[in-house]
Amino acid sequence: MATTNHDQVLDRREIAAALLRALEQRHEVLDAIVESNDRDSAIAAIGSLLGTTDFCAEAVLALPLGRLTKAERKKIRTELDDLDAVVKWTTDSRPYATGEHFRLRQISDDRADIELLKARCAEQLGDGSDAAVETERQKGAALMDDESGMWLVAEDLSGDEPKKIGFAFGELTGNEVEVRIWVRPEARKQGYGTATLKAARTELAAYFPGSTLIIRTPA
């Protein structure tokens, strides 16, 4: 899994926050675990109870008993405070990293979506011709038709009209989903890549339950 330092900080912060909520609601969390049929259902139950992602719920499920003490809870709180400070500093320079007013949706035949795909083909494939774009579009449509892939458009909804930011691509091979993202050049280094990656992880996990997500980000 390839992530930036900023992504890693956000992940650590989400996990620390989920662990604290879990410790505060330890009786409810324990009930949710013991009433679950298996590990996957326990993760889902914890995520629903704490309002967090499967990624963080899995960290809660793996929490060692030795970290249930007051001293350990204080350490987690201190770590969360430190991470909050880091996130504030990095978010000031990358304001869209939080994913607020942001969404992923399935690609359509809308002209604006096709123009976005054309920009991506021109940069990554070196060919933005109509023929190349149509070939890519058909490839994505075929993958989605046989449920072996999902192509998503990333949009910023903070303005009067949705602003198209880039793509998240998920392609299923066996039990693994390779996840790739692309952000248009003028939208880079503002946090959109982080927002797209985090949203893609959640969306594609829902599209392909039980699969392992393998994250690929452009060099």
Side-chain angles (χ1 to χ4, degrees):
M1 177 183 297
T3 57
T4 66
N5 288 337
H6 184 56
D7 298 330
Q8 292 168 3
V9 168
L10 288 173
D11 284 345
R12 285 171 52 207
R13 181 187 179 279
E14 283 188 8
I15 291 172
L19 290 177
L20 274 184
R21 289 198 300 275
L23 292 173
E24 291 166 357
Q25 298 175 248
R26 52 194 176 276
H27 301 296
E28 293 92 335
V29 170
L30 183 58
D31 285 344
I33 293 172
V34 298
E35 291 174 6
S36 297
N37 292 324
D38 52 33
R39 180 181 178 82
D40 287 344
S41 60
I43 290 172
I46 293 169
S48 177
L49 175 65
L50 300 179
T52 191
T53 63
D54 286 353
F55 178 68
C56 294
E58 190 167 4
V60 170
L61 187 60
L63 184 68
L65 292 177
R67 298 204 71 183
L68 301 182
T69 65
K70 291 180 180 179
E72 286 296 320
R73 293 205 295 273
K74 185 177 180 180
K75 287 182 181 179
I76 296 173
R77 164 54 64 187
T78 299
E79 179 185 13
L80 182 58
D81 289 342
D82 290 343
L83 290 169
D84 278 339
V86 174
V87 167
K88 182 181 185 307
W89 182 82
T90 54
T91 302
D92 285 344
S93 62
R94 296 190 176 200
Y96 302 106
T98 61
E100 189 175 3
H101 307 302
F102 184 86
R103 76 174 178 189
L104 290 179
R105 60 163 176 79
Q106 186 174 331
I107 189 172
S108 72
D109 291 332
D110 179 79
R111 181 177 179 81
D113 284 6
I114 300 303
E115 287 299 314
L116 186 66
L117 183 59
K118 184 174 185 177
R120 179 255 175 181
C121 289
E123 182 183 41
Q124 291 201 317
L125 305 181
D127 186 353
S129 67
D130 290 344
V133 173
E134 179 59 18
T135 297
E136 280 295 287
R137 189 195 68 77
Q138 291 181 8
K139 173 187 173 183
L143 288 170
M144 290 185 284
D145 284 345
D146 67 14
E147 299 183 345
S148 62
M150 179 55 63
W151 287 19
L152 303 168
V153 175
E155 294 182 324
D156 180 351
L157 306 179
S158 60
D160 294 334
E161 296 291 334
K163 178 181 178 183
K164 291 175 173 51
I165 301 303
F167 292 108
F169 305 98
E171 297 184 15
L172 179 66
T173 302
N175 196 45
E176 294 184 345
V177 178
E178 180 172 328
V179 182
R180 293 173 290 116
I181 66 168
W182 177 80
V183 175
R184 61 193 321 159
E186 61 269 29
R188 293 172 188 167
K189 297 185 179 180
Q190 300 175 51
Y192 283 123
T194 294
T196 301
L197 183 60
K198 293 176 75 64
R201 194 164 57 192
T202 300
E203 291 289 332
L204 293 171
Y207 280 116
F208 304 106
S211 298
T212 301
L213 302 185
I214 308 298
I215 310 296
R216 310 288 187 201
T217 54

